[in-house]
Amino acid sequence: MAESYRKVVLSIAAHPDDAEFMCAGTLALLHQKGWEIHIATMTGGDCGTVQYSREEISRIRKGEAAKSAAVLEGNYYCLECDDAFIMYDRPTLLKAIELVRKVRPRIVFTLSPSDYMVDHETTSKLAETACFCCGVVNIETPQAEPFEPVPYLYYMDAVEGKDKFGREIKATTIVDITGVMELKERMLCCHESQRNWLLEHHGMDDYVDMMRAFAGKRGGETGRRFGEGFRQHLGHSYPQDNILKKELEELVYEVRAV
């Protein structure tokens, strides 16, 4: 049976700091509207280091992620997959379905189906199936009961706004996050361990500046200073209206696909 409208939003990403890069501003705006915030990662980011063991960096990064979620009075979850080894298989799907059933979100944000790395793409597919199957009673998750309806599902921007072939991905919903940019930055800055890692592995320094640059690009597409872009999953059985537009009103710019 469908339950009454609940203001609960869940971000499902691959690694700690993915949500902070791509949807934390929108989470902050929803929190201001009374929404309950939940941030989950498939991994603890146990390969995102050049100086710690897998166990040490995972512990550090999960602590950073929980600190970030707390900025919005939110909850953080890690599904304890191995970094670079997120699988689309039965055990991992059951973890994702159980998470969605525990949280019972009305909105789910996840990563782009086409992105620069397979962990992101696999997470996207896991989240899609978890949303679709949250009410399927013949899929058993001992720690959580099935529920309806299927949540609203939005895909975040891919890293740098392009797919793995370098083609630009156009957002169909752009949220003006100018008013909460300080909160988004504060959440990203909770992930202190990642600056050295990104400098060593990606040749990038100050990833806050990188985040601001991309948010500025998305915002500029609608004449706003900063923005976050999304594409809504509109397949059969998923909600068809744009709940972000309903909740955030004039802060949301819709770009309809041609």
Side-chain angles (χ1 to χ4, degrees), residues 69-200:
V71 172
L72 302 181
E73 302 177 292
N75 298 305
Y76 168 70
Y77 313 85
C78 180
L79 298 191
E80 303 296 349
C81 297
D82 290 336
D83 203 352
F85 295 92
I86 301 174
M87 296 292 142
Y88 188 86
D89 57 14
R90 183 182 181 89
T92 314
L93 273 170
L94 287 173
K95 286 184 182 181
I97 294 167
E98 185 168 87
L99 170 70
V100 172
R101 287 177 172 178
K102 283 181 177 178
V103 174
R104 294 182 173 246
R106 196 73 187 102
I107 299 173
V108 171
F109 295 123
T110 195
L111 297 167
S112 174
S114 180
D115 212 333
Y116 81 109
M117 68 176 302
V118 174
D119 266 1
H120 282 212
E121 296 176 339
T122 306
T123 296
S124 181
K125 189 177 291 291
L126 288 163
E128 177 188 346
T129 300
C131 288
F132 185 84
C133 293
C134 65
V136 178
V137 296
N138 282 349
I139 297 176
E140 297 182 5
T141 50
Q143 302 302 315
E145 294 295 322
F147 78 99
E148 298 281 3
V150 172
Y152 290 81
L153 178 61
Y154 291 87
Y155 299 111
M156 309 174 210
D157 273 322
V159 173
E160 297 183 356
K162 62 186 181 181
D163 68 16
K164 58 191 171 187
F165 302 106
R167 297 174 300 204
E168 183 180 6
I169 298 175
K170 293 287 189 180
T172 55
T173 294
I174 298 176
V175 180
D176 178 4
I177 62 166
T178 306
V180 292
M181 195 62 182
E182 184 274 333
L183 282 172
K184 180 178 172 75
E185 287 187 21
R186 194 183 346 153
M187 292 173 71
L188 185 57
C189 286
C190 290
H191 297 274
E192 298 174 5
S193 67
Q194 289 309 284
R195 180 178 176 271
N196 288 339
W197 155 245
L198 290 172
L199 182 59
E200 291 284 342

Side-chain angles (χ1 to χ4, degrees), residues 19-33:
E20 287 77 1
F21 267 108
M22 298 303 179
C23 72
T26 303
L27 292 176
L29 290 170
L30 289 170
H31 180 247
Q32 291 177 353
K33 293 283 188 176

